Amino acid sequence: MKRTLISLSVAAGLALSTVVATAPAQADAPPTSNGQAKFTTPLVHAHRGASGYRPEHTLAAYRLAVQLGADYIEPDLVMTKDGVLVDRHEPEIGGTTDVATHAEFAGRKVTKSLDGKATTGWWVEDFTLAELKTLRAKERLPAQRPESASYDGQFEVPTLDEVLALREELSLQTGRTVGVIPEIKHSTFLHEAGFDPEVALMSAISAHGLNRPNAALWVQSFELTPLVRLDDALGYKAKLVFLVSASGRPYDLEAQGDPRTYTDLLTPASLKALVKDVDGLGVDKARVIPRKADGTLGAPTSLVADAHKVGLDVTPWTFRAENSFLPVDYRIGTNPATHGRMGDEVTRFFEAGVDGVFCDQPDICVAAREDFLTR
């Protein structure tokens, strides 16, 4: 079920660029495809919050992201033993919390099969919310992000309700609509464990008044089944994003014996089918502009144009400022942790017509967007 989207002409968009540059795009005006006939200001999504500066998926990271100009904040959703949606990148939390230092939880370190792969660690679904709240977040990449690591041990693991309440608070404080783009993590895994993240999500967004067509809300998943279920069976009314990796296939399809890969699902014929249920694609940025064999940035693929032809938006991930994540020709020096020319890299994607970008350092993407719009 595709929703009507709002657009600006190229001329009008550029005429308003000086306003847009100082006030990020209003999140209640969902982006329209940046095709030849239409133009919209690309959105900046704070990937797990301002995760280049604060431990990811914390209220502090989201608050800073909005202060830096991000249009949307992104919580990843997993579930506690007592069925509460909480915000962690993965159900295994050994790398993003201090759980390993809690002797009382030493016996909960176990090996599970996560999307068909044996993974050892501590699992959110083995903790009640009260137990989880005794843990503190820590930086996942301390060697590359020492500033963020200096905040280790200060922040709780937030619930989805807490993130949605913060979104409302930040919208009031800034005078603009702050959007939220949650991702349902490993839906098949959670259902096999006896949970129902889609129903829990519907309850939360309904309680916060977000289940409506013009809400500043996009729900994401690397699996198709939860998105189709939300759209067709659960009465979901906002926008939906199908996430696409650089390779492989959705685990729900694998579990169902469906051989289609992510690449198969991006053919023009498949995109025509996808648009019946989803509104956008969140793709590994290599799907939009791949790197050459020497590690430099190459030429754009046809994906943005193909998606726009059927009315799907395209938002690539993830833009990170550290040299180790950048194309070779956008690095500065040889230190992997040094910030290179991420603003120039993301500009290449704006030029390719993307509708938004996921950024660990949202201020850099906001500044690059301002420069792009005011050319």
Side-chain angles (χ1 to χ4, degrees):
M1 163 170 64
K2 197 75 178 115
R3 290 91 185 169
T4 302
L5 301 179
I6 300 171
S7 67
L8 297 171
S9 69
V10 174
L14 293 177
L16 290 172
S17 63
T18 56
V19 176
V20 173
T22 56
Q26 287 295 305
D28 269 339
T32 298
S33 301
N34 281 335
Q36 293 180 353
K38 296 179 179 179
F39 176 84
T40 185
T41 301
L43 296 174
V44 173
H45 299 321
H47 183 245
R48 311 179 196 175
S51 54
Y53 306 122
R54 298 291 186 275
E56 65 189 34
H57 295 311
T58 59
L59 296 184
Y62 296 128
R63 188 180 298 277
L64 178 60
V66 173
Q67 292 170 349
L68 296 176
D71 302 302
Y72 276 69
I73 54 176
E74 185 207 28
D76 289 343
L77 304 179
V78 293
M79 298 191 80
T80 65
K81 186 176 183 179
D82 41 352
V84 179
L85 285 170
V86 295
D87 190 3
R88 286 291 87 189
H89 178 53
E90 294 288 344
E92 197 289 304
I93 54 173
T96 60
T97 73
D98 62 359
V99 64
T101 68
H102 287 249
E104 68 273 26
F105 298 135
R108 298 197 195 178
K109 186 177 184 180
V110 297
T111 300
K112 297 187 181 186
S113 177
L114 181 64
D115 291 358
K117 299 179 181 179
T119 304
T120 301
W122 291 264
W123 300 80
V124 170
E125 67 272 13
D126 293 335
F127 291 77
T128 65
L129 178 61
E131 290 173 329
L132 195 68
K133 284 292 189 178
T134 67
L135 307 180
R136 293 296 179 267
K138 69 176 186 179
E139 171 55 45
R140 188 173 53 88
L141 303 169
Q144 291 167 304
R145 295 174 173 173
E147 177 192 357
S148 178
S150 71
Y151 292 90
D152 284 0
Q154 296 187 29
F155 310 125
E156 293 183 354
V157 174
T159 66
L160 175 59
D161 277 329
E162 289 170 339
V163 174
L164 296 180
L166 178 65
R167 185 204 77 86
E168 296 162 5
E169 174 190 330
L170 293 172
S171 294
L172 289 172
Q173 288 178 356
T174 60
R176 60 185 177 90
T177 302
V178 175
V180 61
I181 182 164
E183 179 188 343
I184 300 172
K185 301 293 297 193
H186 303 288
S187 176
T188 298
F189 171 83
L190 288 173
H191 278 277
E192 289 174 347
F195 299 98
D196 194 327
E198 292 81 45
V199 167
L201 175 63
M202 285 298 300
S203 177
I205 64 173
S206 297
H208 287 266
L210 290 171
N211 190 33
R212 48 190 172 82
N214 66 338
L217 170 69
W218 299 72
V219 169
Q220 317 172 89
S221 175
F222 280 98
E223 299 183 49
L224 275 173
T225 302
L227 300 177
V228 173
R229 184 180 178 222
L230 284 167
D231 195 49
D232 292 350
L234 296 181
Y236 180 82
K237 297 176 182 178
K239 279 75 64 182
L240 295 167
V241 180
F242 179 45
L243 295 171
V244 179
S245 294
S247 60
R249 57 176 168 160
Y251 184 71
D252 60 321
L253 299 191
E254 181 177 338
Q256 296 163 17
D258 187 327
R260 288 179 295 171
T261 65
Y262 284 117
T263 298
D264 295 332
L265 292 162
L266 293 182
T267 64
S270 180
L271 293 177
K272 289 181 181 178
L274 284 175
V275 77
K276 297 175 184 177
D277 289 298
V278 305
D279 303 274
L281 304 173
V283 301
D284 185 295
K285 61 186 181 181
R287 295 271 185 183
V288 175
I289 306 180
R291 297 184 188 183
K292 300 176 184 178
D294 63 358
T296 61
L297 199 59
T301 68
S302 67
L303 176 60
V304 172
D306 292 343
H308 286 172
K309 284 179 183 178
V310 299
L312 288 169
D313 295 329
V314 179
T315 303
W317 46 268
T318 300
F319 294 90
R320 297 179 166 110
E322 294 85 3
N323 276 335
S324 57
F325 300 112
L326 290 169
V328 170
D329 45 337
Y330 288 84
R331 298 173 185 174
I332 297 176
T334 59
N335 185 336
T338 295
H339 283 200
R341 295 168 42 229
M342 191 256 275
D344 293 334
E345 180 200 19
V346 77
T347 298
R348 289 282 304 277
F349 286 78
F350 291 151
E351 293 170 344
V354 300
D355 302 281
V357 288
F358 283 93
C359 303
D360 280 10
Q361 292 89 358
D363 55 324
I364 298 176
C365 288
V366 169
R369 178 177 64 182
E370 177 179 347
D371 290 342
F372 172 70
L373 292 173
T374 54
R375 288 179 179 178

PDB file of all heavy atoms in Angstrom, residues 40-74:
ATOM      1  N   THR A  40      13.598  16.805  -3.814  1.00  0.00           N
ATOM      2  CA  THR A  40      13.318  16.981  -2.398  1.00  0.00           C
ATOM      3  C   THR A  40      14.628  17.090  -1.642  1.00  0.00           C
ATOM      4  O   THR A  40      15.654  16.552  -2.072  1.00  0.00           O
ATOM      5  CB  THR A  40      12.496  15.810  -1.836  1.00  0.00           C
ATOM      6  OG1 THR A  40      12.163  16.095  -0.480  1.00  0.00           O
ATOM      7  CG2 THR A  40      13.252  14.506  -1.883  1.00  0.00           C
ATOM      8  N   THR A  41      14.618  17.809  -0.560  1.00  0.00           N
ATOM      9  CA  THR A  41      15.801  17.897   0.282  1.00  0.00           C
ATOM     10  C   THR A  41      16.094  16.536   0.890  1.00  0.00           C
ATOM     11  O   THR A  41      15.242  15.973   1.567  1.00  0.00           O
ATOM     12  CB  THR A  41      15.571  18.913   1.406  1.00  0.00           C
ATOM     13  OG1 THR A  41      15.285  20.187   0.831  1.00  0.00           O
ATOM     14  CG2 THR A  41      16.806  19.023   2.291  1.00  0.00           C
ATOM     15  N   PRO A  42      17.271  15.970   0.642  1.00  0.00           N
ATOM     16  CA  PRO A  42      17.573  14.664   1.237  1.00  0.00           C
ATOM     17  C   PRO A  42      17.609  14.755   2.754  1.00  0.00           C
ATOM     18  O   PRO A  42      18.098  15.726   3.327  1.00  0.00           O
ATOM     19  CB  PRO A  42      18.936  14.305   0.649  1.00  0.00           C
ATOM     20  CG  PRO A  42      19.520  15.597   0.201  1.00  0.00           C
ATOM     21  CD  PRO A  42      18.375  16.481  -0.180  1.00  0.00           C
ATOM     22  N   LEU A  43      17.087  13.732   3.408  1.00  0.00           N
ATOM     23  CA  LEU A  43      17.044  13.687   4.859  1.00  0.00           C
ATOM     24  C   LEU A  43      18.347  13.149   5.438  1.00  0.00           C
ATOM     25  O   LEU A  43      19.035  12.343   4.807  1.00  0.00           O
ATOM     26  CB  LEU A  43      15.882  12.804   5.328  1.00  0.00           C
ATOM     27  CG  LEU A  43      14.476  13.283   4.968  1.00  0.00           C
ATOM     28  CD1 LEU A  43      13.443  12.232   5.360  1.00  0.00           C
ATOM     29  CD2 LEU A  43      14.167  14.609   5.651  1.00  0.00           C
ATOM     30  N   VAL A  44      18.658  13.576   6.638  1.00  0.00           N
ATOM     31  CA  VAL A  44      19.809  13.061   7.375  1.00  0.00           C
ATOM     32  C   VAL A  44      19.299  12.255   8.552  1.00  0.00           C
ATOM     33  O   VAL A  44      18.640  12.779   9.455  1.00  0.00           O
ATOM     34  CB  VAL A  44      20.721  14.205   7.864  1.00  0.00           C
ATOM     35  CG1 VAL A  44      21.820  13.653   8.790  1.00  0.00           C
ATOM     36  CG2 VAL A  44      21.352  14.931   6.680  1.00  0.00           C
ATOM     37  N   HIS A  45      19.579  10.954   8.515  1.00  0.00           N
ATOM     38  CA  HIS A  45      19.192  10.046   9.594  1.00  0.00           C
ATOM     39  C   HIS A  45      20.397   9.809  10.499  1.00  0.00           C
ATOM     40  O   HIS A  45      21.475   9.438  10.019  1.00  0.00           O
ATOM     41  CB  HIS A  45      18.724   8.696   9.035  1.00  0.00           C
ATOM     42  CG  HIS A  45      17.527   8.778   8.150  1.00  0.00           C
ATOM     43  ND1 HIS A  45      16.467   9.613   8.399  1.00  0.00           N
ATOM     44  CD2 HIS A  45      17.220   8.112   7.006  1.00  0.00           C
ATOM     45  CE1 HIS A  45      15.545   9.455   7.468  1.00  0.00           C
ATOM     46  NE2 HIS A  45      15.988   8.560   6.594  1.00  0.00           N
ATOM     47  N   ALA A  46      20.219  10.041  11.790  1.00  0.00           N
ATOM     48  CA  ALA A  46      21.289   9.784  12.762  1.00  0.00           C
ATOM     49  C   ALA A  46      21.354   8.291  13.031  1.00  0.00           C
ATOM     50  O   ALA A  46      20.502   7.726  13.711  1.00  0.00           O
ATOM     51  CB  ALA A  46      21.030  10.557  14.047  1.00  0.00           C
ATOM     52  N   HIS A  47      22.367   7.644  12.494  1.00  0.00           N
ATOM     53  CA  HIS A  47      22.513   6.194  12.567  1.00  0.00           C
ATOM     54  C   HIS A  47      22.835   5.762  13.997  1.00  0.00           C
ATOM     55  O   HIS A  47      23.920   6.025  14.508  1.00  0.00           O
ATOM     56  CB  HIS A  47      23.636   5.765  11.616  1.00  0.00           C
ATOM     57  CG  HIS A  47      23.854   4.301  11.542  1.00  0.00           C
ATOM     58  ND1 HIS A  47      25.020   3.711  11.966  1.00  0.00           N
ATOM     59  CD2 HIS A  47      23.054   3.306  11.091  1.00  0.00           C
ATOM     60  CE1 HIS A  47      24.948   2.400  11.762  1.00  0.00           C
ATOM     61  NE2 HIS A  47      23.767   2.131  11.240  1.00  0.00           N
ATOM     62  N   ARG A  48      21.839   5.172  14.649  1.00  0.00           N
ATOM     63  CA  ARG A  48      21.967   4.770  16.064  1.00  0.00           C
ATOM     64  C   ARG A  48      22.206   5.985  16.964  1.00  0.00           C
ATOM     65  O   ARG A  48      22.782   5.861  18.041  1.00  0.00           O
ATOM     66  CB  ARG A  48      23.074   3.739  16.239  1.00  0.00           C
ATOM     67  CG  ARG A  48      23.011   2.576  15.256  1.00  0.00           C
ATOM     68  CD  ARG A  48      24.154   1.590  15.446  1.00  0.00           C
ATOM     69  NE  ARG A  48      24.316   0.716  14.302  1.00  0.00           N
ATOM     70  CZ  ARG A  48      25.288  -0.169  14.140  1.00  0.00           C
ATOM     71  NH1 ARG A  48      26.220  -0.294  15.080  1.00  0.00           N
ATOM     72  NH2 ARG A  48      25.354  -0.910  13.062  1.00  0.00           N
ATOM     73  N   GLY A  49      21.767   7.149  16.528  1.00  0.00           N
ATOM     74  CA  GLY A  49      22.058   8.401  17.219  1.00  0.00           C
ATOM     75  C   GLY A  49      23.307   9.030  16.631  1.00  0.00           C
ATOM     76  O   GLY A  49      23.757   8.672  15.542  1.00  0.00           O
ATOM     77  N   ALA A  50      23.894   9.970  17.343  1.00  0.00           N
ATOM     78  CA  ALA A  50      25.185  10.529  16.922  1.00  0.00           C
ATOM     79  C   ALA A  50      26.265   9.559  17.375  1.00  0.00           C
ATOM     80  O   ALA A  50      27.086   9.846  18.263  1.00  0.00           O
ATOM     81  CB  ALA A  50      25.387  11.907  17.540  1.00  0.00           C
ATOM     82  N   SER A  51      26.281   8.384  16.743  1.00  0.00           N
ATOM     83  CA  SER A  51      27.093   7.275  17.253  1.00  0.00           C
ATOM     84  C   SER A  51      28.573   7.445  16.982  1.00  0.00           C
ATOM     85  O   SER A  51      29.381   6.641  17.462  1.00  0.00           O
ATOM     86  CB  SER A  51      26.600   5.948  16.659  1.00  0.00           C
ATOM     87  OG  SER A  51      26.562   6.011  15.250  1.00  0.00           O
ATOM     88  N   GLY A  52      28.950   8.489  16.235  1.00  0.00           N
ATOM     89  CA  GLY A  52      30.366   8.794  16.107  1.00  0.00           C
ATOM     90  C   GLY A  52      30.908   9.574  17.287  1.00  0.00           C
ATOM     91  O   GLY A  52      32.129   9.727  17.430  1.00  0.00           O
ATOM     92  N   TYR A  53      30.001  10.044  18.164  1.00  0.00           N
ATOM     93  CA  TYR A  53      30.398  10.902  19.277  1.00  0.00           C
ATOM     94  C   TYR A  53      29.954  10.396  20.647  1.00  0.00           C
ATOM     95  O   TYR A  53      30.497  10.833  21.662  1.00  0.00           O
ATOM     96  CB  TYR A  53      29.827  12.303  19.088  1.00  0.00           C
ATOM     97  CG  TYR A  53      30.154  12.954  17.767  1.00  0.00           C
ATOM     98  CD1 TYR A  53      29.149  13.378  16.915  1.00  0.00           C
ATOM     99  CD2 TYR A  53      31.479  13.147  17.371  1.00  0.00           C
ATOM    100  CE1 TYR A  53      29.438  14.005  15.696  1.00  0.00           C
ATOM    101  CE2 TYR A  53      31.787  13.763  16.161  1.00  0.00           C
ATOM    102  CZ  TYR A  53      30.753  14.188  15.324  1.00  0.00           C
ATOM    103  OH  TYR A  53      31.042  14.788  14.128  1.00  0.00           O
ATOM    104  N   ARG A  54      28.954   9.541  20.706  1.00  0.00           N
ATOM    105  CA  ARG A  54      28.443   8.992  21.968  1.00  0.00           C
ATOM    106  C   ARG A  54      28.152   7.502  21.763  1.00  0.00           C
ATOM    107  O   ARG A  54      27.853   7.075  20.647  1.00  0.00           O
ATOM    108  CB  ARG A  54      27.146   9.696  22.405  1.00  0.00           C
ATOM    109  CG  ARG A  54      27.267  11.185  22.692  1.00  0.00           C
ATOM    110  CD  ARG A  54      28.073  11.470  23.943  1.00  0.00           C
ATOM    111  NE  ARG A  54      28.052  12.907  24.256  1.00  0.00           N
ATOM    112  CZ  ARG A  54      28.878  13.808  23.724  1.00  0.00           C
ATOM    113  NH1 ARG A  54      29.799  13.436  22.834  1.00  0.00           N
ATOM    114  NH2 ARG A  54      28.798  15.078  24.070  1.00  0.00           N
ATOM    115  N   PRO A  55      28.201   6.695  22.823  1.00  0.00           N
ATOM    116  CA  PRO A  55      27.851   5.284  22.670  1.00  0.00           C
ATOM    117  C   PRO A  55      26.492   5.128  21.988  1.00  0.00           C
ATOM    118  O   PRO A  55      25.527   5.807  22.334  1.00  0.00           O
ATOM    119  CB  PRO A  55      27.822   4.779  24.116  1.00  0.00           C
ATOM    120  CG  PRO A  55      28.822   5.655  24.816  1.00  0.00           C
ATOM    121  CD  PRO A  55      28.633   7.018  24.196  1.00  0.00           C
ATOM    122  N   GLU A  56      26.446   4.258  20.996  1.00  0.00           N
ATOM    123  CA  GLU A  56      25.262   4.124  20.144  1.00  0.00           C
ATOM    124  C   GLU A  56      24.036   3.661  20.919  1.00  0.00           C
ATOM    125  O   GLU A  56      24.122   3.000  21.942  1.00  0.00           O
ATOM    126  CB  GLU A  56      25.552   3.134  19.012  1.00  0.00           C
ATOM    127  CG  GLU A  56      25.798   1.710  19.489  1.00  0.00           C
ATOM    128  CD  GLU A  56      26.286   0.795  18.380  1.00  0.00           C
ATOM    129  OE1 GLU A  56      27.023   1.276  17.486  1.00  0.00           O
ATOM    130  OE2 GLU A  56      25.929  -0.391  18.390  1.00  0.00           O
ATOM    131  N   HIS A  57      22.873   4.038  20.363  1.00  0.00           N
ATOM    132  CA  HIS A  57      21.593   3.622  20.932  1.00  0.00           C
ATOM    133  C   HIS A  57      21.443   4.017  22.396  1.00  0.00           C
ATOM    134  O   HIS A  57      21.030   3.219  23.237  1.00  0.00           O
ATOM    135  CB  HIS A  57      21.395   2.106  20.780  1.00  0.00           C
ATOM    136  CG  HIS A  57      21.275   1.657  19.347  1.00  0.00           C
ATOM    137  ND1 HIS A  57      20.433   2.269  18.452  1.00  0.00           N
ATOM    138  CD2 HIS A  57      21.882   0.649  18.668  1.00  0.00           C
ATOM    139  CE1 HIS A  57      20.535   1.651  17.274  1.00  0.00           C
ATOM    140  NE2 HIS A  57      21.410   0.674  17.383  1.00  0.00           N
ATOM    141  N   THR A  58      21.773   5.256  22.683  1.00  0.00           N
ATOM    142  CA  THR A  58      21.524   5.815  24.016  1.00  0.00           C
ATOM    143  C   THR A  58      20.748   7.118  23.835  1.00  0.00           C
ATOM    144  O   THR A  58      20.814   7.761  22.778  1.00  0.00           O
ATOM    145  CB  THR A  58      22.833   6.108  24.769  1.00  0.00           C
ATOM    146  OG1 THR A  58      23.622   7.046  24.012  1.00  0.00           O
ATOM    147  CG2 THR A  58      23.630   4.825  24.981  1.00  0.00           C
ATOM    148  N   LEU A  59      20.033   7.523  24.874  1.00  0.00           N
ATOM    149  CA  LEU A  59      19.290   8.776  24.789  1.00  0.00           C
ATOM    150  C   LEU A  59      20.240   9.946  24.570  1.00  0.00           C
ATOM    151  O   LEU A  59      19.897  10.918  23.879  1.00  0.00           O
ATOM    152  CB  LEU A  59      18.452   8.984  26.053  1.00  0.00           C
ATOM    153  CG  LEU A  59      17.344   7.946  26.304  1.00  0.00           C
ATOM    154  CD1 LEU A  59      16.533   8.342  27.538  1.00  0.00           C
ATOM    155  CD2 LEU A  59      16.425   7.784  25.097  1.00  0.00           C
ATOM    156  N   ALA A  60      21.439   9.863  25.127  1.00  0.00           N
ATOM    157  CA  ALA A  60      22.428  10.929  24.934  1.00  0.00           C
ATOM    158  C   ALA A  60      22.839  11.030  23.466  1.00  0.00           C
ATOM    159  O   ALA A  60      23.028  12.139  22.937  1.00  0.00           O
ATOM    160  CB  ALA A  60      23.656  10.664  25.804  1.00  0.00           C
ATOM    161  N   ALA A  61      22.985   9.891  22.799  1.00  0.00           N
ATOM    162  CA  ALA A  61      23.355   9.896  21.382  1.00  0.00           C
ATOM    163  C   ALA A  61      22.245  10.490  20.528  1.00  0.00           C
ATOM    164  O   ALA A  61      22.508  11.224  19.564  1.00  0.00           O
ATOM    165  CB  ALA A  61      23.680   8.477  20.924  1.00  0.00           C
ATOM    166  N   TYR A  62      20.990  10.201  20.874  1.00  0.00           N
ATOM    167  CA  TYR A  62      19.871  10.765  20.109  1.00  0.00           C
ATOM    168  C   TYR A  62      19.726  12.262  20.356  1.00  0.00           C
ATOM    169  O   TYR A  62      19.473  13.037  19.419  1.00  0.00           O
ATOM    170  CB  TYR A  62      18.575  10.049  20.480  1.00  0.00           C
ATOM    171  CG  TYR A  62      18.583   8.588  20.114  1.00  0.00           C
ATOM    172  CD1 TYR A  62      18.259   7.618  21.055  1.00  0.00           C
ATOM    173  CD2 TYR A  62      18.935   8.166  18.839  1.00  0.00           C
ATOM    174  CE1 TYR A  62      18.279   6.271  20.728  1.00  0.00           C
ATOM    175  CE2 TYR A  62      18.972   6.824  18.505  1.00  0.00           C
ATOM    176  CZ  TYR A  62      18.640   5.874  19.450  1.00  0.00           C
ATOM    177  OH  TYR A  62      18.670   4.549  19.131  1.00  0.00           O
ATOM    178  N   ARG A  63      19.872  12.653  21.590  1.00  0.00           N
ATOM    179  CA  ARG A  63      19.738  14.085  21.914  1.00  0.00           C
ATOM    180  C   ARG A  63      20.811  14.888  21.165  1.00  0.00           C
ATOM    181  O   ARG A  63      20.516  15.937  20.567  1.00  0.00           O
ATOM    182  CB  ARG A  63      19.861  14.284  23.424  1.00  0.00           C
ATOM    183  CG  ARG A  63      19.540  15.706  23.885  1.00  0.00           C
ATOM    184  CD  ARG A  63      19.675  15.831  25.394  1.00  0.00           C
ATOM    185  NE  ARG A  63      18.734  14.968  26.105  1.00  0.00           N
ATOM    186  CZ  ARG A  63      17.462  15.294  26.348  1.00  0.00           C
ATOM    187  NH1 ARG A  63      16.991  16.452  25.927  1.00  0.00           N
ATOM    188  NH2 ARG A  63      16.683  14.460  27.012  1.00  0.00           N
ATOM    189  N   LEU A  64      22.044  14.416  21.195  1.00  0.00           N
ATOM    190  CA  LEU A  64      23.121  15.115  20.499  1.00  0.00           C
ATOM    191  C   LEU A  64      22.857  15.142  18.997  1.00  0.00           C
ATOM    192  O   LEU A  64      23.090  16.161  18.340  1.00  0.00           O
ATOM    193  CB  LEU A  64      24.460  14.441  20.792  1.00  0.00           C
ATOM    194  CG  LEU A  64      25.675  15.052  20.082  1.00  0.00           C
ATOM    195  CD1 LEU A  64      25.861  16.514  20.473  1.00  0.00           C
ATOM    196  CD2 LEU A  64      26.936  14.250  20.405  1.00  0.00           C
ATOM    197  N   ALA A  65      22.359  14.041  18.450  1.00  0.00           N
ATOM    198  CA  ALA A  65      22.093  13.971  17.009  1.00  0.00           C
ATOM    199  C   ALA A  65      21.139  15.065  16.568  1.00  0.00           C
ATOM    200  O   ALA A  65      21.352  15.728  15.543  1.00  0.00           O
ATOM    201  CB  ALA A  65      21.535  12.599  16.652  1.00  0.00           C
ATOM    202  N   VAL A  66      20.091  15.268  17.331  1.00  0.00           N
ATOM    203  CA  VAL A  66      19.112  16.296  16.981  1.00  0.00           C
ATOM    204  C   VAL A  66      19.716  17.685  17.148  1.00  0.00           C
ATOM    205  O   VAL A  66      19.485  18.586  16.335  1.00  0.00           O
ATOM    206  CB  VAL A  66      17.828  16.118  17.812  1.00  0.00           C
ATOM    207  CG1 VAL A  66      16.860  17.276  17.579  1.00  0.00           C
ATOM    208  CG2 VAL A  66      17.153  14.792  17.457  1.00  0.00           C
ATOM    209  N   GLN A  67      20.519  17.868  18.181  1.00  0.00           N
ATOM    210  CA  GLN A  67      21.206  19.147  18.361  1.00  0.00           C
ATOM    211  C   GLN A  67      22.125  19.456  17.177  1.00  0.00           C
ATOM    212  O   GLN A  67      22.328  20.624  16.820  1.00  0.00           O
ATOM    213  CB  GLN A  67      22.011  19.131  19.662  1.00  0.00           C
ATOM    214  CG  GLN A  67      21.163  19.097  20.921  1.00  0.00           C
ATOM    215  CD  GLN A  67      21.984  18.841  22.182  1.00  0.00           C
ATOM    216  OE1 GLN A  67      23.162  18.479  22.110  1.00  0.00           O
ATOM    217  NE2 GLN A  67      21.368  19.001  23.345  1.00  0.00           N
ATOM    218  N   LEU A  68      22.647  18.400  16.541  1.00  0.00           N
ATOM    219  CA  LEU A  68      23.541  18.560  15.402  1.00  0.00           C
ATOM    220  C   LEU A  68      22.791  18.695  14.081  1.00  0.00           C
ATOM    221  O   LEU A  68      23.422  18.814  13.026  1.00  0.00           O
ATOM    222  CB  LEU A  68      24.520  17.386  15.330  1.00  0.00           C
ATOM    223  CG  LEU A  68      25.500  17.258  16.498  1.00  0.00           C
ATOM    224  CD1 LEU A  68      26.353  16.005  16.352  1.00  0.00           C
ATOM    225  CD2 LEU A  68      26.378  18.492  16.622  1.00  0.00           C
ATOM    226  N   GLY A  69      21.456  18.643  14.134  1.00  0.00           N
ATOM    227  CA  GLY A  69      20.666  18.893  12.934  1.00  0.00           C
ATOM    228  C   GLY A  69      20.049  17.697  12.262  1.00  0.00           C
ATOM    229  O   GLY A  69      19.442  17.838  11.188  1.00  0.00           O
ATOM    230  N   ALA A  70      20.170  16.504  12.830  1.00  0.00           N
ATOM    231  CA  ALA A  70      19.578  15.316  12.206  1.00  0.00           C
ATOM    232  C   ALA A  70      18.065  15.450  12.111  1.00  0.00           C
ATOM    233  O   ALA A  70      17.413  16.012  13.006  1.00  0.00           O
ATOM    234  CB  ALA A  70      19.946  14.067  12.996  1.00  0.00           C
ATOM    235  N   ASP A  71      17.498  14.924  11.038  1.00  0.00           N
ATOM    236  CA  ASP A  71      16.049  14.940  10.845  1.00  0.00           C
ATOM    237  C   ASP A  71      15.371  13.760  11.535  1.00  0.00           C
ATOM    238  O   ASP A  71      14.253  13.896  12.035  1.00  0.00           O
ATOM    239  CB  ASP A  71      15.720  14.875   9.349  1.00  0.00           C
ATOM    240  CG  ASP A  71      16.347  16.014   8.569  1.00  0.00           C
ATOM    241  OD1 ASP A  71      16.066  17.177   8.913  1.00  0.00           O
ATOM    242  OD2 ASP A  71      17.120  15.750   7.628  1.00  0.00           O
ATOM    243  N   TYR A  72      16.038  12.607  11.524  1.00  0.00           N
ATOM    244  CA  TYR A  72      15.484  11.379  12.090  1.00  0.00           C
ATOM    245  C   TYR A  72      16.508  10.737  13.018  1.00  0.00           C
ATOM    246  O   TYR A  72      17.722  10.840  12.792  1.00  0.00           O
ATOM    247  CB  TYR A  72      15.145  10.367  10.984  1.00  0.00           C
ATOM    248  CG  TYR A  72      13.797  10.559  10.332  1.00  0.00           C
ATOM    249  CD1 TYR A  72      13.544  11.661   9.524  1.00  0.00           C
ATOM    250  CD2 TYR A  72      12.767   9.634  10.512  1.00  0.00           C
ATOM    251  CE1 TYR A  72      12.312  11.841   8.907  1.00  0.00           C
ATOM    252  CE2 TYR A  72      11.526   9.805   9.906  1.00  0.00           C
ATOM    253  CZ  TYR A  72      11.314  10.908   9.109  1.00  0.00           C
ATOM    254  OH  TYR A  72      10.088  11.084   8.503  1.00  0.00           O
ATOM    255  N   ILE A  73      16.010  10.053  14.050  1.00  0.00           N
ATOM    256  CA  ILE A  73      16.856   9.234  14.911  1.00  0.00           C
ATOM    257  C   ILE A  73      16.479   7.776  14.709  1.00  0.00           C
ATOM    258  O   ILE A  73      15.311   7.458  14.445  1.00  0.00           O
ATOM    259  CB  ILE A  73      16.723   9.639  16.395  1.00  0.00           C
ATOM    260  CG1 ILE A  73      15.262   9.620  16.856  1.00  0.00           C
ATOM    261  CG2 ILE A  73      17.347  11.015  16.608  1.00  0.00           C
ATOM    262  CD1 ILE A  73      15.063   9.927  18.330  1.00  0.00           C
ATOM    263  N   GLU A  74      17.479   6.885  14.830  1.00  0.00           N
ATOM    264  CA  GLU A  74      17.256   5.476  14.495  1.00  0.00           C
ATOM    265  C   GLU A  74      17.484   4.560  15.692  1.00  0.00           C
ATOM    266  O   GLU A  74      18.625   4.332  16.090  1.00  0.00           O
ATOM    267  CB  GLU A  74      18.195   5.041  13.359  1.00  0.00           C
ATOM    268  CG  GLU A  74      17.917   3.624  12.897  1.00  0.00           C
ATOM    269  CD  GLU A  74      19.126   2.923  12.306  1.00  0.00           C
ATOM    270  OE1 GLU A  74      20.271   3.256  12.682  1.00  0.00           O
ATOM    271  OE2 GLU A  74      18.913   2.017  11.498  1.00  0.00           O
TER     272      GLU A  74
END
